[in-house]
Amino acid sequence: MPLSYSAAAAAPPCPLAARSRSLLHRPRPGPVVVRCKKIDQLRAVNGIPPYAPVSNRSLLTPVTLPIIRDANVKNDTRLRIFSGTANPSLSQEIASYLGLELGKINIKRFADGEIYVQLQESVRGCDVFLVQPTCPPANENLMELLIMIDACRRASAKNITAVIPYFGYARADRKSQGRESIAAKLVANMITEAGANRVLVCDLHSSQAMGYFDIPVDHVYGQPVILDYLASKTICSNDLVVVSPDVGGVARARAFAKKLSDAPLAIVDKRRHGHNVMNLIGDVRGKVAVMMDDMIDTAGTIAKGAELLHQEGAREVYACCTHAVFSPPAIERLSSGLFQEVIITNTIPLKEDKSFPQLTILSVANLLGETIWRVHDDCSVGHEPYSSLDID
């Protein structure tokens, strides 16, 4: 027989419902009254009115929470220097000048030639400088630099500066013939798109290449290092003459001569009429000729210029350059006895098999290190001898 309404009402009540009804009908407790004990009124003591003592610590004093840091991270600076595989010795000299240690980075190449980069320390919020010249092999070193920049960007570095002591592809800065590429502009775009915020370069082949970058560029010159070395040699200033090995380097040679006791200037003019014809503009007879250029690649131009200088009566010939590319047969030409001394800098690492007795290598580590510190400290890098040689 199915249950009727009256039978269902007689069923035992739900325990939860009964508990809810009991809570609703429970009498509420009355207010709690606390009576304060009456004390005597404050009186003056020895004529001093009563006062309430106040703590020396203000209620607004902030509470300093303990900061947990990694013991391996330096607390005194946010400056980080990392080196690629192109010129680690120069990077170490720069770090030593700044009183820092090189950052820990893992760079390796897979069997198929691909490059792997991993930072081994935190760079979050840091000012990072990546030292990597794009010297031979240019494509390998350029790709490594791009991957290093990308790794720092993805690691949340605050600023990334690509320190490029030697900027490869700088000679491809214009179209001299139809249907040519301007590779210098392409490389500048690649560095910018990779994530670099600033570029620090040394002795560009032409200053116009700075305009190819859409980010700030600090351009320093390596000639002050060579000037200091020549000043230490016992050469009479009246016997000096600065020679430009070609017409394109006249502005560079003129600025160098102005700094070198305002020495006179001579120019090697090479013209092509079926075969190369070289003429000398200026007087070098009985003089010590200092040939100045931004780089020496195969040494063909500077060697032929030295032969012409000897024919014109030069007593000694010095060859000076910032970037020693030294592609074959540069060593044979430079060590053939034409030059009293060949003075270069270490923007490009030089292998032991490319050394010869007349070679002198000067370091630009202090120059680059000082510039890096000024950039990090938001100071001007336009003071001598760090940037300008009045080259126009």
Side-chain angles (χ1 to χ4, degrees):
M1 176 179 177
L3 291 177
S4 63
Y5 178 78
S6 59
C14 176
L16 294 178
R19 176 178 172 85
S20 300
R21 286 193 296 271
S22 64
L23 291 176
L24 290 174
H25 295 88
R26 179 180 298 177
R28 296 182 180 180
V32 178
V33 179
V34 178
R35 296 183 180 278
C36 297
K37 184 178 180 181
K38 184 178 180 180
I39 59 175
D40 296 335
Q41 184 179 1
L42 294 176
R43 296 185 178 87
V45 179
N46 296 329
I48 300 175
Y51 66 94
V54 180
S55 173
N56 292 331
R57 181 175 178 178
S58 172
L59 294 177
L60 300 180
T61 302
V63 178
T64 303
L65 298 177
I67 300 177
I68 302 175
R69 298 183 186 271
D70 187 355
N72 296 325
V73 179
K74 293 184 177 181
N75 299 327
D76 58 343
T77 180
R78 307 294 292 177
L79 176 62
R80 297 286 187 272
I81 308 291
F82 290 92
S83 173
T85 60
N87 198 343
S89 59
L90 175 60
S91 304
Q92 184 60 59
E93 291 183 39
I94 294 173
S96 299
Y97 175 84
L98 294 170
L100 301 173
E101 294 181 358
L102 284 177
K104 297 178 181 179
I105 186 171
N106 180 24
I107 303 175
K108 63 181 181 180
R109 283 165 172 77
F110 295 105
D112 60 352
E114 294 181 1
I115 301 173
Y116 171 82
V117 174
Q118 181 191 27
L119 303 178
Q120 309 246 300
E121 62 182 64
S122 175
V123 295
R124 184 178 296 273
C126 293
D127 202 0
V128 177
F129 291 82
L130 306 175
V131 183
Q132 174 80 341
T134 54
C135 52
N139 299 332
E140 285 280 320
N141 292 328
L142 174 60
M143 193 64 196
E144 183 179 307
L145 173 62
L146 296 176
I147 298 177
M148 290 171 63
I149 295 172
D150 182 72
C152 292
R153 179 176 63 87
R154 296 180 186 278
S156 301
K158 183 179 181 180
N159 292 306
I160 304 172
T161 302
V163 182
I164 311 175
Y166 170 72
F167 183 68
Y169 290 100
R171 286 175 283 185
D173 56 358
R174 66 186 186 279
K175 291 181 67 173
S176 59
Q177 299 178 17
R179 298 178 296 277
E180 285 185 339
S181 72
I182 304 178
K185 171 60 176 173
L186 174 63
V187 173
N189 288 343
M190 293 168 64
I191 293 173
T192 303
E193 291 300 322
N197 304 109
R198 179 181 292 270
V199 172
L200 171 59
V201 292
C202 183
D203 264 326
L204 285 171
H205 185 65
S206 61
S207 298
Q208 70 190 37
M210 288 190 292
Y212 295 156
F213 289 91
D214 297 325
I215 55 178
V217 177
D218 292 304
H219 187 199
V220 298
Y221 295 91
Q223 285 92 335
V225 179
I226 301 175
L227 284 168
D228 289 343
Y229 176 76
L230 290 175
S232 65
K233 301 181 73 66
T234 57
I235 302 176
C236 180
S237 59
N238 296 328
D239 294 338
L240 283 173
V241 57
V242 176
V243 182
S244 174
D246 52 31
V247 177
V250 171
R252 183 181 298 103
R254 183 176 61 204
F256 189 79
K258 183 179 179 181
K259 299 296 181 180
L260 194 62
S261 302
D262 203 11
L265 179 66
I267 304 168
V268 176
D269 181 24
K270 180 173 65 175
R271 301 186 183 185
R272 295 177 174 88
H273 299 286
H275 59 282
N276 291 337
V277 177
M278 305 188 73
N279 298 312
L280 181 65
I281 304 173
D283 183 22
V284 297
R285 187 170 300 278
K287 300 278 188 177
V288 177
V290 179
M291 302 187 74
M292 184 67 210
D293 209 349
D294 64 321
M295 70 172 67
I296 297 177
D297 193 355
T298 61
T301 300
I302 201 167
K304 291 179 180 179
E307 292 178 0
L308 179 61
L309 294 176
H310 282 293
Q311 293 174 7
E312 295 292 330
R315 190 170 82 237
E316 294 177 349
V317 179
Y318 288 79
C320 304
C321 80
T322 304
H323 310 300
V325 181
F326 286 1
S327 302
I331 303 302
E332 290 77 6
R333 289 171 172 170
L334 295 174
S335 60
S336 61
L338 291 172
F339 301 97
Q340 180 74 18
E341 191 173 1
V342 178
I343 305 169
I344 65 173
T345 70
N346 61 343
T347 56
I348 298 176
L350 200 65
K351 297 180 180 179
E352 294 182 0
D353 59 351
K354 292 186 177 181
S355 180
F356 51 94
Q358 298 92 342
L359 184 64
T360 299
I361 304 176
L362 307 177
S363 178
V364 294
N366 292 0
L367 179 73
L368 294 176
E370 179 66 25
T371 306
I372 287 174
W373 178 254
R374 291 186 178 210
V375 171
H376 171 68
D377 203 33
D378 294 329
C379 296
S380 173
V381 298
H383 297 285
E384 292 288 356
Y386 303 111
S387 73
S388 175
L389 275 179
D390 299 329
I391 294 179
D392 49 26

